[in-house]
Every structure is written in C-alpha cells, then in structure tokens.
Amino acid sequence: METLRLVLLFIHILGFAALIGGLLSQMGAVDKVVNGPMRDGAGTAFLAGLALVGVLEAGDGDVNHAKIGVKLVIGLVILGLVMANLRKPRIPDGLFYGLLALSVVNVAVAVFWSSAHV
Ligand code: HEM
C-alpha cells in the first residue's frame, strides 16, 4: 500500500507541477490561454489526489478530513475553471492570476497544514 501511495503522490506532484508550469510559462504573454499542461495537470492532480485519499482512508493512519475538504474544493474550482475555458482564444488576466493563486494556495495547504497524515 505504501508503494501505491508513493506512486500516486509522485503522479499527483507531476500533475500540479504541470498545472503551475503551464501557468508560469505564460506570465509574460499578452494573450493567456488554458494550455495543454494546465488542462492535463489539473486533471491529473485532481484524480491522483482523490486516489490518494482512498489509499489513506484504507490505511490505519488518521486522515484530516477538514484539510482534504479544503483541497478538494480548491482542486474542483481549479479543474472547473480550466475545463470551462479550454476553448477560449484568450482568458482574462483575473482568471489567469486566480488560477495561479488557487494552485499555490493548495500547495501551501498541503505543506503547512500539518497533521499526522494529510
Ligand atoms: C492544484 C491542486 C493541488 C495541489 C497544488 C496539491 C498539492 C499537494 C502537495 C504539495 C502535496 C504533498 C504534501 C506533502 O507531502 O507534504 C499533496 C499531497 C496530497 N494531496 Fe494534494 N494538491 C492538489 C489537489 C488535491 C486534491 C484535489 C486532493 C483530493 C481531494 C488532494 C489530496 C492530497 C493528498 C491525500 C495528499 C497526501 C498524500 C500523502 O502524503 O500520502 N490534493 N498535494
């Protein structure tokens, strides 16, 4: 089970790295869009995150449901906004920086909201 958790965590981290990388690669661009790395990264981070919750629930550690709830809602908002704006020729700066802020907040929640397990 520990190997599965680590593999999912590895995929989870690659997912949001692609999301944040897809955002940061457009910082200087005039016309910002939802690009491939943002689309695939948001989806991968979300699904791997859900699978991670399943693995942790199956384990005997205590799971911090409040923390997972916050991450789930933020992850869902990111995924929804990314998918809703996939075909737009350009996205407003407010949405772009909102997605970047939400992604960074979810990293902060994961890292700084300390608990035994998540
Ligand atoms: C953009 C969205 C997300 C970002 C940036 C993100 C970020 C992170 C980071 C940085 C970690 C590693 C924390 C550490 O090991 O100290 C982590 C772990 C985790 N994330 Fe996410 N996450 C996101 C979405 C989600 C979602 C939607 C869920 C599920 C509801 C989720 C569930 C988890 C779980 C369960 C772990 C812990 C794995 C473990 O230690 O076994 N994450 N996340």
Side-chain angles (χ1 to χ4, degrees), residues 2 5-6 8-9 12-13 15-17 19-20 41-42 45-56 63 67-76 78-79 99 102-112 116-118:
E2 179 61 2
R5 183 184 77 81
L6 292 174
L8 287 171
L9 185 58
H12 187 59
I13 292 173
F16 66 77
L19 166 65
I20 296 173
F46 189 81
L47 293 177
L50 283 184
L52 271 166
V53 174
V55 168
L56 292 175
V63 179
K67 180 178 176 179
I68 288 191
V70 169
K71 291 196 69 188
L72 183 64
V73 170
I74 294 175
L76 212 49
I78 292 170
L79 190 61
L99 285 169
L102 286 172
S103 303
V104 171
V105 165
N106 237 5
V107 174
V109 168
V111 173
F112 296 116
H117 239 308
V118 196

Side-chain angles (χ1 to χ4, degrees), residues 87-110:
R87 304 209 186 312
K88 299 268 173 62
R90 65 180 300 279
I91 59 174
D93 277 1
L95 174 60
F96 176 84
Y97 290 107
L99 285 169
L100 186 58
L102 286 172
S103 303
V104 171
V105 165
N106 237 5
V107 174
V109 168

